[in-house]
Amino acid sequence: MPLLDVRDLRAGYGAILAVKGISLHVDEGEIVTLIGSNGAGKSTTLRAISGVIRPRGGQVTFDGQRIDRLQPHAIVRLGLSHVPEGRGIFHSLSVYENLLMGAYTRGDDLHDDLERVYRLFPRLKERLRQPGGTLSGGEQQMLAIGRALMARPRLLLLDEPSMGLSPVLVETIFETIQAIRREGATVLLVEQNALMALEIADRAYVLESGEITLAGTGAELARDDSVRRAYLGEG
Ligand code: ATP
């Protein structure tokens, strides 16, 4: 049984149907990436899975349980955390307070989880008292991922973690995603940076105009001519 099973998912805004009946799954321990051009419906797919918007139809099953009618906080409690595009940092709260907010669904000892975040992102440990809004873009992305990890998720949804970052920081973020997986979490990754996403992904789906047009292993899709033309900048 997959950890996440999405069947015939439809989602949108007002009159717009942005996701038109897609099916995908993520097995425990995998990194799966969703690639596609601007406006293809990638962020909408993640929002509908994590409950930020309510699906218009279809089924979302997490660890054997239907979650497509649950509120976002209930979905976080089950072990699914979403790091949204734009990061959603609390600007006036300190780095430390932002991290604690990520653990609000849990009452137990946070020490080990904080240590894990500091180990993955030493940069954050140096800035615990700094207001979140004054962090650089890359540091905010680290904080957003660190905050999501505080909920101890089994599945992490990452929306464009490399957006706006320098090449060195993009490398750091991709290395961290792999470290998070090695430590036992499962990752569903949305990325504009298709080449790097396909390199670290076990499997991938291509989304175009709200529909999945191609699926395969990361390596297969990285070799696919249509993917290379559309997403890897090859003529
Ligand atoms: P990008 O890579 O540009 O973020 P995406 O693949 O994540 O694109 P979505 O953000 O899911 O695409 O957008 C899919 C469609 O839904 C687009 O046509 C977009 O304009 C529309 N859309 C997204 N968010 C909203 C919203 N809050 N209200 C209305 N329409 C929206």
Side-chain angles (χ1 to χ4, degrees), residues 100-224:
L100 292 192
M101 292 298 281
Y104 80 100
T105 54
R106 309 182 12 223
D108 49 340
D109 185 22
L110 305 179
H111 177 265
D112 289 353
D113 301 284
L114 284 167
E115 287 301 321
R116 174 187 182 207
V117 171
Y118 300 157
R119 186 163 33 77
L120 286 167
F121 302 112
R123 186 93 72 105
L124 293 182
K125 192 176 181 185
E126 297 161 10
R127 293 160 196 278
L128 290 178
R129 315 248 156 259
Q130 188 172 327
T134 63
L135 294 175
S136 73
E139 290 162 354
Q140 289 196 14
Q141 185 62 58
M142 294 175 197
L143 180 55
I145 296 174
R147 188 179 56 187
L149 290 175
M150 290 299 292
R152 236 182 260 166
R154 290 176 66 193
L155 175 64
L156 197 56
L157 309 184
L158 293 176
D159 197 348
E160 306 261 4
S162 76
M163 169 115 69
L165 304 188
S166 68
V168 174
L169 273 180
V170 172
E171 286 279 348
T172 306
I173 293 290
F174 274 87
E175 279 164 19
T176 309
I177 295 168
Q178 291 172 287
I180 290 167
R181 186 258 288 274
R182 279 197 298 277
E183 292 183 0
T186 303
V187 177
L188 177 58
L189 169 69
V190 160
E191 260 295 334
Q192 287 281 332
N193 195 331
L195 184 57
M196 289 185 76
L198 291 175
E199 269 174 17
I200 67 163
D202 300 298
R203 290 187 303 108
Y205 295 90
V206 175
L207 193 61
E208 281 174 21
S209 306
E211 292 176 288
I212 287 176
T213 54
L214 208 55
T217 66
E220 281 164 0
L221 264 61
R223 280 196 305 266
D224 183 274

Side-chain angles (χ1 to χ4, degrees), residues 13 16 18 36-45 47 85 159-160 190 192:
Y13 314 88
I16 299 169
S37 43
N38 288 325
K42 305 181 296 295
S43 300
T44 304
T45 300
R47 289 183 197 126
E85 196 174 4
D159 197 348
E160 306 261 4
V190 160
Q192 287 281 332

